[in-house]
Amino acid sequence: MQTASRRRETRRNTRHNGTFFAVLLFLALLCVAVGAVLSVQKIHERDEPIPTFSVEEPSDIELPQFPLTSAPSTDDPLLLLVNRDHPLPEGYTPELTKLQDWDLSVASAMYDDLCRMLQAGRAEGLRFEICSAYRSHETQQALFDEDVARYMAQGMTEADAIAATARYTMLPGCSEHETGLAVDIVSLENQLLDESQEQTAETIWLHAHCWEYGFLLRYPSDKSDLTGIAYESWHYRYVGIDAAKYLHERDLTLEEFWAQQTE
């Protein structure tokens, strides 16, 4: 039989054992907690970002399609609009460079690209002739008066002769040739400024490639009502490579471009 003192000792030992196991459990839980904290800290110290996930909100916004080409600025002097309704500013004087192969000058801004275009065509066996480039105000006046006189010699009244001349030749102050940014280019073998020019290999090549060098066919056959000038397969206007690409891809004349930008 267990004595009273023995029972007290047993109870004491039991309490000590319970306390001992409670301490062990506390230490174990503490270790787990510390380990979890260290694990989270290591995650944040890694070089790789922690993956995050989000739910994409629906949107009615139509995203632009790439590549996206912005419209050139109307402040660009190469995009100067010159026609009957937009004459040159008074005192306009372009900076000019003389061509090597012709006794003509062009705007210095287009000289290098014009040379590159002609060299590229020549590399394919084409032979070009530049029959007109920069014209002074006085030269433009003389050409206009000459054409008016020719029509009048055919029996037209002066008013009718002026109207007929204006279909192909701009009034002084309204001609792109006075900017130095326009050139008339034909085939060396056919220098006639008529419908036959359109069939020459030189003109066919220029129509296909001039935009790559910053030029536009200024007066296309299907837009005479917009330009106010009858079709001229030989008249090219320099606007710069970026602007030429933009206008070519959208089939825009300068009149259409300006109308869009000023709406």
Side-chain angles (χ1 to χ4, degrees):
M1 175 179 294
Q2 203 172 33
T3 64
S5 61
R6 181 65 175 172
R7 283 197 300 269
R8 285 195 298 271
E9 183 179 354
T10 301
R11 285 196 299 268
R12 204 167 35 243
N13 291 339
T14 301
R15 286 197 300 268
H16 289 169
N17 290 339
T19 303
F20 176 75
F21 286 116
V23 171
L24 287 179
L25 179 60
F26 173 78
L27 292 175
L29 292 174
L30 181 61
C31 289
V32 171
V34 171
V37 171
L38 293 176
S39 177
V40 171
Q41 185 177 1
K42 287 181 178 179
I43 290 176
H44 285 282
E45 291 175 350
R46 291 184 306 177
D47 293 334
E48 301 86 6
I50 301 173
T52 58
F53 302 90
S54 61
V55 179
E56 184 176 353
E57 294 293 334
S59 173
D60 295 329
I61 299 175
E62 184 177 352
L63 296 177
Q65 300 298 313
F66 293 96
L68 180 65
T69 303
S70 59
S73 172
T74 53
D75 293 330
D76 187 344
L78 297 180
L79 290 172
L80 179 67
L81 180 61
V82 182
N83 55 30
R84 293 185 187 90
D85 299 324
H86 300 85
L88 282 168
E90 186 175 352
Y92 181 90
T93 305
E95 180 182 343
L96 301 172
T97 298
K98 190 176 183 305
L99 296 173
Q100 294 183 357
D101 297 332
W102 296 275
D103 188 20
L104 298 168
S105 295
V106 297
S108 300
M110 81 171 195
Y111 177 81
D112 289 341
D113 284 332
L114 175 63
C115 292
R116 289 196 313 111
M117 181 171 71
L118 297 179
Q119 289 169 359
R122 286 168 176 166
E124 297 192 23
L126 303 174
R127 303 175 69 192
F128 301 107
E129 178 70 16
I130 298 181
C131 57
S132 185
Y134 167 73
R135 298 176 195 157
S136 66
H137 184 87
E138 293 73 22
T139 298
Q140 187 68 24
Q141 182 71 64
L143 288 174
F144 193 88
D145 292 344
E146 181 183 319
D147 286 348
V148 170
R150 179 166 53 84
Y151 281 120
M152 291 180 66
Q154 297 173 6
M156 288 187 180
T157 65
E158 183 177 9
D160 288 342
I162 290 174
T165 298
R167 293 186 64 238
Y168 290 96
T169 305
M170 283 291 189
L171 289 163
C174 301
S175 172
E176 289 191 329
H177 284 286
E178 293 179 57
T179 68
L181 295 170
V183 283
D184 293 344
I185 309 176
V186 297
S187 168
L188 183 62
E189 283 73 28
N190 177 6
Q191 299 184 32
L192 298 176
L193 301 182
D194 59 19
E195 294 179 356
S196 66
Q197 190 60 227
E198 187 179 14
Q199 306 305 318
T200 66
E202 285 77 9
T203 295
I204 292 172
W205 186 89
L206 285 170
H207 284 195
H209 298 284
C210 69
W211 65 273
E212 299 171 7
Y213 301 90
F215 291 84
L216 298 176
L217 178 64
R218 183 64 178 90
Y219 305 120
S221 60
D222 59 341
K223 298 196 175 184
S224 296
D225 57 329
L226 297 172
T227 63
I229 290 290
Y231 174 47
E232 294 186 355
S233 65
W234 51 84
H235 184 106
Y236 303 90
R237 162 66 188 271
Y238 185 72
V239 294
I241 292 177
D242 290 341
K245 182 177 186 294
Y246 180 91
L247 298 175
H248 170 76
E249 289 178 346
R250 291 157 180 78
D251 190 28
L252 295 176
T253 62
L254 274 180
E255 283 78 10
E256 291 173 299
F257 167 74
W258 274 90
Q260 287 184 4
Q261 301 307 308
T262 55
E263 285 180 350

